[in-house]
Amino acid sequence: MIQQVRDALLSWYEKHGRHELPWRNTEDVYHIYLSEVMLQQTQVKRVMEEYYPRFLEKFPTLGALSLAKEEEVLALWSGLGYYSRARNLHATAKLCPNTLPKTQKELVKLPGIGRYTASAICSFAYHQRVGVVDTNIERVIKRFFAHHEQSDALIWQSAEEFVNPVYPTLHNQALMDLGSLVCTATNPKCGECPLEPACRGKEEAEFYTRRQKKVYEALELFYGIAVQEGKIALKISKGPMYKGMLELPAVEPIEEDFIAEFKHSYTKYRLTVKLYKLAEVQDDVLWFEKDALKDAHISSLTRKVLKYLEDIG
Ligand code: SF4
């Protein structure tokens, strides 16, 4: 029975899978690794259309990335957020400028590579018979095997056992797409699902959807604005959020210097950003003309402020 289900899954994938994704049309382990890192926390469309091709144009190989300066890498990452991903990617390229190791055991020793990324590399680049568990696959596995208990070990074990021994790569890609297109978090389309005849959890599919309420942290940030001869004052951030990036100098809020306030979201933070006139400029600020900031390593928050200043003239 299990082999029939695997075959049905592959037939479904052949017809309905997302074969156009560029990282599914390459054997290059670095390209596949890059896509996996970018896809964590970022939508497929944005990665595919913007960030992935732009990054590969600049750094087509691990070797090229290993020679890059950190600020160049971070500048290309600008807007994707979670900059530790870019730093880890860069650090891995420096450790492995030619290629990546071929076992999960070795891969998880590299910066930022956890069990999921290691298994995805082994499955998609090296075509090994390994299970892969991302959010979509986890949901399918939980429902299909009717795992009521929340046990990562059990889900990984089921994923390993379910892998098609002949076509492991296609099997994992198919499961990902099935979770994304059919076995969706709400309103799964069981009537269109190739796993339906053997699915043990279909009657109570909603039960297996993990409902985790996102917890956001509210923060207030106070920035100073100083402009001299058409140049704006920025600093290199030492803070945890935008470390190493250019940002406006932080200030103590003084009511009479208040300029404007706006909201901004960054990862788990909901920010209230308040801008003030900066009377005294510290020695460690750097002065930038607007045009020089186009390709600079700047946070989306600072870009928003610059745009706002431009709009109000
Ligand atoms: S039958 Fe329904 S619940 Fe089961 S795997 Fe398919 S879509 Fe998900």
Side-chain angles (χ1 to χ4, degrees), residues 1-10 129 141 144-145 158-165 171 194-195 198-200:
M1 181 66 179
I2 198 75
Q3 193 50 46
Q4 282 170 330
V5 175
R6 290 175 182 139
D7 291 346
L9 176 66
L10 288 195
R129 188 184 166 182
I141 295 282
F144 182 71
F145 291 99
S158 297
E160 299 283 353
E161 289 167 3
F162 193 24
V163 173
N164 190 314
H171 174 93
L195 308 188
C199 179
R200 294 186 213 150

Side-chain angles (χ1 to χ4, degrees), residues 101-289:
K102 290 199 163 51
T103 65
Q104 291 192 59
K105 205 172 157 199
E106 290 300 311
L107 283 162
V108 294
K109 291 180 189 164
L110 294 168
I113 297 188
R115 184 170 185 182
Y116 166 73
T117 307
S119 65
I121 291 168
C122 286
S123 176
F124 303 145
Y126 298 139
H127 309 298
Q128 294 170 12
R129 188 184 166 182
V130 294
V132 176
V133 180
D134 73 345
T135 318
N136 283 319
I137 294 183
E138 179 182 343
R139 189 171 53 251
V140 177
I141 295 282
K142 272 166 126 180
R143 289 170 171 171
F144 182 71
F145 291 99
H147 288 324
H148 280 85
E149 62 276 46
Q150 178 56 42
S151 160
D152 288 349
L154 185 61
I155 290 161
W156 275 94
Q157 190 193 331
S158 297
E160 299 283 353
E161 289 167 3
F162 193 24
V163 173
N164 190 314
V166 186
Y167 303 106
T169 307
L170 294 176
H171 174 93
N172 286 322
Q173 290 171 343
L175 270 187
M176 263 182 192
D177 286 6
L178 191 76
S180 167
L181 304 169
V182 175
C183 193
T184 44
T186 51
N187 304 322
K189 304 172 193 75
C190 298
E192 299 169 22
C193 179
L195 308 188
E196 192 271 342
C199 179
R200 294 186 213 150
K202 62 190 171 202
E203 302 300 342
E204 44 177 351
E206 292 297 329
F207 175 83
Y208 299 98
T209 302
R210 195 194 286 176
R211 292 180 197 282
Q212 269 182 351
K213 216 176 166 207
K214 277 197 172 177
V215 180
Y216 294 108
E217 217 173 291
L219 267 187
E220 270 194 328
L221 298 177
F222 309 114
Y223 287 121
I225 307 288
V227 179
Q228 285 181 11
E229 297 169 6
K231 294 179 180 177
I232 187 155
L234 297 176
K235 286 176 81 167
I236 295 173
S237 172
K238 294 192 177 80
M241 217 184 308
Y242 295 120
K243 191 172 169 208
M245 303 173 83
L246 288 169
E247 67 174 1
L248 293 153
V251 290
E252 288 297 323
I254 300 173
E255 209 176 310
E256 54 266 33
D257 292 338
F258 178 76
I259 303 174
E261 167 183 326
F262 61 87
K263 305 279 183 199
H264 184 72
S265 296
Y266 179 74
T267 62
K268 63 173 182 172
Y269 300 104
R270 294 292 172 266
L271 308 173
T272 301
V273 182
K274 296 186 177 179
L275 305 178
Y276 296 85
K277 267 184 256 159
L278 186 62
E280 269 184 54
V281 180
Q282 297 123 336
D283 292 342
D284 57 346
V285 302
L286 304 161
W287 295 94
F288 289 90
E289 281 181 9

